[in-house]
Amino acid sequence: EMTPDPAGRPQNGTRVREVLRSSGRSFVTNATVFDVEPGVGYRFSGRGTTGLVSGLRRVEATESGEGSVFTYHVELHPTGFYRLLRPVLANALSSGLRKDLQRLKLRLESVPVP
């Protein structure tokens, strides 16, 4: 669950609160959006339950113009106790992202082409 403030399209300075639920726990991240390229992507950085987080999100048309390339890169730098759980956190994050991408793929495939 992601909640941007202000609501709407990302812009420089947008604050995003994300709550992920895994293994009965909630993990909260508060990040700020920057380097926005309208209609293309943005970078983000912040702090969460497990430590520091940063990354980028981009959607670009392929050279042929017949498709798109979606890039989502996340760097998690665990702090405190969570440094000991790096491998577990990496697996959980990867698994969650794969599931999110599968849901996105299914949604995109169900949209009728004009």
Side-chain angles (χ1 to χ4, degrees), residues 14 27 109:
T14 296
F27 296 88
E109 290 174 345

PDB file of all heavy atoms in Angstrom, residues 14 27 109:
ATOM      1  N   THR A  14       7.456  15.041  -3.614  1.00  0.00           N
ATOM      2  CA  THR A  14       6.350  14.191  -3.181  1.00  0.00           C
ATOM      3  C   THR A  14       6.864  13.225  -2.122  1.00  0.00           C
ATOM      4  O   THR A  14       7.915  12.616  -2.270  1.00  0.00           O
ATOM      5  CB  THR A  14       5.767  13.374  -4.363  1.00  0.00           C
ATOM      6  OG1 THR A  14       5.206  14.265  -5.317  1.00  0.00           O
ATOM      7  CG2 THR A  14       4.697  12.399  -3.891  1.00  0.00           C
ATOM      8  N   PHE A  27       6.021  -3.407   7.544  1.00  0.00           N
ATOM      9  CA  PHE A  27       7.258  -2.668   7.353  1.00  0.00           C
ATOM     10  C   PHE A  27       6.891  -1.352   6.676  1.00  0.00           C
ATOM     11  O   PHE A  27       6.279  -1.347   5.612  1.00  0.00           O
ATOM     12  CB  PHE A  27       8.239  -3.458   6.489  1.00  0.00           C
ATOM     13  CG  PHE A  27       8.680  -4.744   7.120  1.00  0.00           C
ATOM     14  CD1 PHE A  27       7.960  -5.912   6.933  1.00  0.00           C
ATOM     15  CD2 PHE A  27       9.806  -4.781   7.925  1.00  0.00           C
ATOM     16  CE1 PHE A  27       8.355  -7.098   7.526  1.00  0.00           C
ATOM     17  CE2 PHE A  27      10.214  -5.960   8.522  1.00  0.00           C
ATOM     18  CZ  PHE A  27       9.482  -7.121   8.326  1.00  0.00           C
ATOM     19  N   GLU A 109      -2.138  -7.262 -19.534  1.00  0.00           N
ATOM     20  CA  GLU A 109      -2.624  -8.192 -20.550  1.00  0.00           C
ATOM     21  C   GLU A 109      -4.144  -8.216 -20.625  1.00  0.00           C
ATOM     22  O   GLU A 109      -4.701  -8.619 -21.645  1.00  0.00           O
ATOM     23  CB  GLU A 109      -2.080  -9.598 -20.280  1.00  0.00           C
ATOM     24  CG  GLU A 109      -0.599  -9.702 -20.524  1.00  0.00           C
ATOM     25  CD  GLU A 109      -0.004 -11.038 -20.130  1.00  0.00           C
ATOM     26  OE1 GLU A 109      -0.669 -11.809 -19.396  1.00  0.00           O
ATOM     27  OE2 GLU A 109       1.123 -11.310 -20.561  1.00  0.00           O
TER      28      GLU A 109
END
